[in-house]
Amino acid sequence: MVILVHGGAGRVPKAHESEVLAGVAAARDRGWEVLSDGGSALDAVVAAVVFLEDHPRFNAGTGSALNRQGFVEADAAVMDGATLGFGAVAAVRDVKNPVLLAREVMASEHILLAGEGASLFARERGIPAVDPAGLITDEALARWREARRRRVRSSGTVGAVALDRQGRLAAATSTGGIVDKRVGRIGDTPLVGAGTYAEAPLGAASVTGEGEFLARALVAYRAVVALREADPEDAARQALLQARHLGGEGGIILLAGDGRFAAVHTSPQMSHAWRTPEGEGSALA
Ligand code: ASP
């Protein structure tokens, strides 16, 4: 069993470092609990991501980055490596935990629902509408004002990959996207193979960073497929270098079907945490 989570490729202010590290470690523990209780890799990654969506310091769910008009439009995806099942939502405005809605989409006849349609589907599945203002934190508002003043594109995202006792692999990713993005902008996170990918027995990946570049490099898929010949560290690096050639930086957590894993980033930082039967750790490098 292995669980690996990330808290995004954005730069973390010094004052928030310990809280962010504690956040990714706690999300990892949520996922690990599910795995040790005999739960599936899919249940584990969803539990870890829900925790980070609810944590206001991370750019997903509550605390998401704000778009150009100052409100949240979230993207999220889940993929089950055992069945190649995939579900995602994009630009959703009124859902507290977009990853739970993505999981519902996976169980439907579609793979991706956006905007108003995603909200309608949420209601159909019993996921209540939340007041969009409730997703906005003071910190996200401050980051948004700063981005508008200085034209910086700070970002972040959360994600998890896991391997369960039965050898099943899964990946989940959730994000508010890039701060001050255009209304309606959709990033790499909810695109299959771009921000999120899992395929048994090869591996599972969740990606963070500059979505426009990561998506065109199909970073998650590229990294998982590279596991055929490379170890996780090299496979992750190859995939990120492809995005860098296009002009974008990012990070990835990559888990191979045999339990080896890597957390690699070309962005300045990426918080992450992991646990295996041999031990656990967390880092913000
Ligand atoms: N990849 C996300 C996006 O472009 C943002 C991030 O990971 O920081 O929407």
Side-chain angles (χ1 to χ4, degrees):
M1 300 186 308
V2 182
I3 177 105
L4 180 58
V5 312
H6 73 78
R11 192 178 277 289
V12 176
K14 268 256 168 296
H16 298 164
E17 277 182 3
S18 56
E19 208 183 332
V20 163
L21 271 172
V24 287
R28 167 203 67 201
D29 293 345
R30 292 295 168 96
W32 184 258
E33 230 169 80
V34 172
L35 293 176
S36 2
D37 287 349
S40 68
L42 188 66
D43 286 335
V45 293
V46 169
V49 167
V50 163
F51 179 85
L52 291 171
E53 285 180 337
D54 288 341
H55 193 307
R57 279 277 181 246
F58 294 90
N59 173 13
T62 305
S64 282
L66 306 180
N67 66 16
R68 199 150 296 178
Q69 288 181 11
F71 62 89
V72 170
E73 287 185 310
D75 300 341
V78 296
M79 187 154 183
D80 180 354
T83 60
L84 297 190
F86 182 84
V89 292
V92 351
R93 300 176 176 187
D94 61 358
V95 169
K96 183 166 167 283
N97 293 108
V99 75
L100 294 177
L101 184 54
R103 190 175 186 167
E104 292 293 337
V105 173
M106 189 172 95
S108 80
E109 70 277 38
H110 298 306
I111 58 159
L112 171 60
L113 291 174
E116 196 187 340
S119 295
L120 282 173
F121 178 71
R123 304 302 96 80
E124 219 176 85
R125 295 293 164 127
I127 296 176
V130 293
D131 178 358
L135 301 172
I136 301 176
T137 58
D138 290 345
E139 187 187 340
L141 205 52
R143 261 192 279 126
W144 178 67
R145 294 212 171 97
E146 166 93 351
R148 292 176 69 76
R149 228 173 338 112
R150 298 183 31 220
R151 296 263 138 246
V152 290
R153 301 225 310 166
S154 78
S155 54
T157 280
V158 307
V161 291
L163 175 68
D164 65 26
R165 276 205 189 111
Q166 271 94 58
R168 289 172 299 196
L169 288 156
T173 316
S174 182
T175 189
I178 284 179
V179 66
D180 200 35
K181 65 189 182 181
R182 285 179 191 277
V183 174
R185 179 268 189 187
I186 294 166
D188 58 306
T189 299
L191 306 180
V192 60
T196 310
Y197 194 70
E199 180 178 331
L202 271 182
S206 171
V207 172
T208 171
E210 299 176 282
E212 279 70 12
F213 306 94
L214 299 164
R216 283 182 285 146
L218 276 180
V219 167
Y221 178 73
R222 192 177 294 272
V224 168
V225 166
L227 287 170
R228 286 199 183 111
E229 270 142 30
D231 66 28
E233 177 93 22
D234 281 346
R237 223 166 268 292
Q238 281 173 30
L240 287 174
L241 284 180
Q242 184 72 16
R244 174 174 270 185
H245 286 143
L246 297 171
E249 309 293 348
I252 179 171
I253 51 173
L254 179 64
L255 172 60
D258 62 7
R260 291 174 306 153
F261 62 87
V264 176
H265 55 101
T266 59
S267 55
Q269 286 185 309
M270 181 175 72
S271 57
H272 59 278
W274 67 92
R275 181 153 179 187
T276 74
E278 281 79 52
E280 62 178 45
S282 58
L284 176 59

